[in-house]
């Protein structure tokens, strides 16, 4: 039986929730135009839930390979930008795997550094 969740991301099969399209009605238009948007709201208001749902819906449409991931895992790298970059790339790969993206749509493994210095990884 579904219930109202107030602690963390919602799962549509377990929790009552407003569909993502209704929460961010203009977002799909921005995406169609190749633009970006920012979601800014207080804690526990559904930002993560709605963005994860939107990524699933976009991928299911067949027009996009959308992923929802967090860059928070890179925080442990501190000022080591090369390590932070690897951690973010790993988060993207994990998201692609859990989303079940086919190999041709999944991000490639990190390639060698093409230029010296952090933040210059090629793929």
């Amino acid at each position: 039986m579904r219930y109202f969740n107030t602690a963390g991301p919602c799962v549509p099969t377990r929790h009552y929730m407003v569909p993502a399209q209704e929460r961010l009605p203009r977002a799909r238009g921005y995406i169609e135009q190749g633009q970006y948007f920012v979601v800014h709201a207080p804690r526990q208001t559904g930002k993560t839930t709605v963005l994860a749902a939107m990524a699933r819906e976009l991928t299911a449409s067949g027009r996009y390979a959308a992923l929802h991931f967090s860059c928070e895992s890179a925080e442990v790298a501190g000022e080591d930008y090369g390590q932070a970059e690897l951690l973010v790339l790993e988060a993207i790969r994990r998201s692609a795997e859990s989303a079940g993206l086919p190999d041709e749509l999944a991000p490639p493994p990190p390639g060698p550094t093409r230029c010296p210095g952090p933040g210059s990884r090629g793929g």
Side-chain angles (χ1 to χ4, degrees):
M1 182 172 207
R2 293 190 307 169
Y3 61 95
F4 289 101
N5 180 30
T6 59
C10 293
V11 178
T13 56
R14 292 176 43 199
H15 307 118
Y16 292 111
M17 56 187 287
V18 177
Q21 187 69 18
E22 294 176 30
R23 298 277 315 269
L24 297 172
R26 297 189 311 193
R28 187 67 180 251
Y30 293 135
I31 293 166
E32 298 284 341
Q33 295 171 15
Q35 297 180 357
Y36 68 91
F37 59 94
V38 175
V39 177
H40 179 78
R43 294 182 74 248
Q44 298 296 313
T45 56
K47 297 178 300 292
T48 297
T49 299
V50 74
L51 291 173
M54 184 174 290
R56 286 190 302 272
E57 290 171 14
L58 287 166
T59 299
S61 77
R63 291 193 58 204
Y64 302 96
L67 298 175
H68 174 265
F69 65 93
S70 173
C71 296
E72 287 178 299
S73 62
E75 185 176 14
V76 298
E79 304 244 349
D80 183 346
Y81 301 116
Q83 181 63 25
E85 185 176 35
L86 288 173
L87 291 168
V88 169
L89 290 171
E90 181 58 31
I92 294 169
R93 277 193 297 285
R94 280 194 313 271
S95 178
E97 286 175 9
S98 68
L101 288 184
D103 290 340
E104 64 270 11
L105 297 178
T113 300
R114 294 184 182 167
C115 304
S120 58
R121 239 166 257 299

